[in-house]
Amino acid sequence: MTRLTIAEAQSRVSRMLTHDVVEDLRAVEYETPPLADAPSATPLTELRRAEVTFSHAPGSPDCLYRIGAFGDSLLMRLQLNVWRFVAIYQVPVKDPIDSNTIAPHFERWAIGAGHAGWTIGWRDGVDPWKQDVRVVETYCYAMMPENFLDEPLTQLYWRTDLLQMTRAFMLEARRMGIRLSAPDTV
């Protein structure tokens, strides 16, 4: 294990949040190649359909993403504290809907995320920019090994799982008829 300086660790965290994860999330929705008797020659980078915008303050351990896919838009915050990932999905709701109402609809999704190593939690909150908009936040926690920033294969596993988990969350919401975005953000 290499001994990273604080500046190098912060640089690697920022790169992962603003480049690697952004590129991964663009594949939340992608065009599926037709069934054939041989693999498609078209790489995933050319099949991606999701639109991703993000906000990140250089040096901070978190990034806010808006992922536009499947005719909806999901607000996700991702925190990478060197050895711990925290993904937070934010869903706007109105009375009588709250975290106790939404969580059961995502039970199958939560079981799958748990098998991959995520711990899932739900809470009620408000949109920090629009205090009159109530939200349900889904917290997904995962501890990384101490050499996470030095291990490309470990990073690939967790980045890929974050992509798959986000894709599955959006598809499950769509299947259940749960809108992920406020009407003015799609």
Side-chain angles (χ1 to χ4, degrees), residues 55-164:
S55 175
H56 174 72
S60 73
D62 66 344
C63 193
L64 181 66
Y65 307 87
R66 182 166 306 283
I67 305 152
F70 309 111
D72 207 347
S73 180
L74 173 66
L75 192 63
M76 179 184 86
R77 180 175 301 279
L78 183 63
Q79 301 166 347
L80 175 54
N81 184 11
V82 183
W83 304 317
R84 184 172 85 147
F85 256 141
V86 180
I88 305 165
Y89 301 125
Q90 189 179 85
V91 179
V93 294
K94 295 184 182 199
D95 283 331
I97 307 298
D98 63 7
S99 60
N100 293 320
T101 310
I102 287 185
H105 293 291
F106 289 92
E107 183 177 0
R108 189 179 81 197
W109 169 86
I111 289 169
H115 287 166
W118 297 93
T119 299
I120 306 298
W122 302 84
R123 81 171 194 186
D124 298 310
V126 295
D127 185 309
W129 299 280
K130 300 176 184 174
Q131 294 292 315
D132 58 325
V133 176
R134 291 189 325 91
V135 298
V136 169
E137 294 179 329
T138 307
Y139 282 81
C140 313
Y141 302 92
M143 289 302 296
M144 306 293 109
E146 288 188 18
N147 62 348
F148 177 70
L149 294 176
D150 285 329
E151 291 295 323
L153 287 178
T154 304
Q155 292 172 23
L156 179 61
Y157 169 81
W158 286 101
R159 287 182 16 232
T160 301
D161 200 71
L162 178 67
L163 162 67
Q164 292 173 324

Side-chain angles (χ1 to χ4, degrees), residues 9-43:
Q10 287 175 328
S11 174
R12 289 185 187 188
V13 166
S14 286
R15 175 166 173 78
M16 184 172 296
L17 293 173
T18 61
H19 181 268
D20 300 336
V21 170
V22 170
E23 289 303 309
D24 293 338
L25 290 174
R26 289 190 170 122
V28 162
E29 181 180 5
Y30 60 89
E31 180 180 340
T32 305
L35 293 173
D37 60 2
S40 171
T42 308

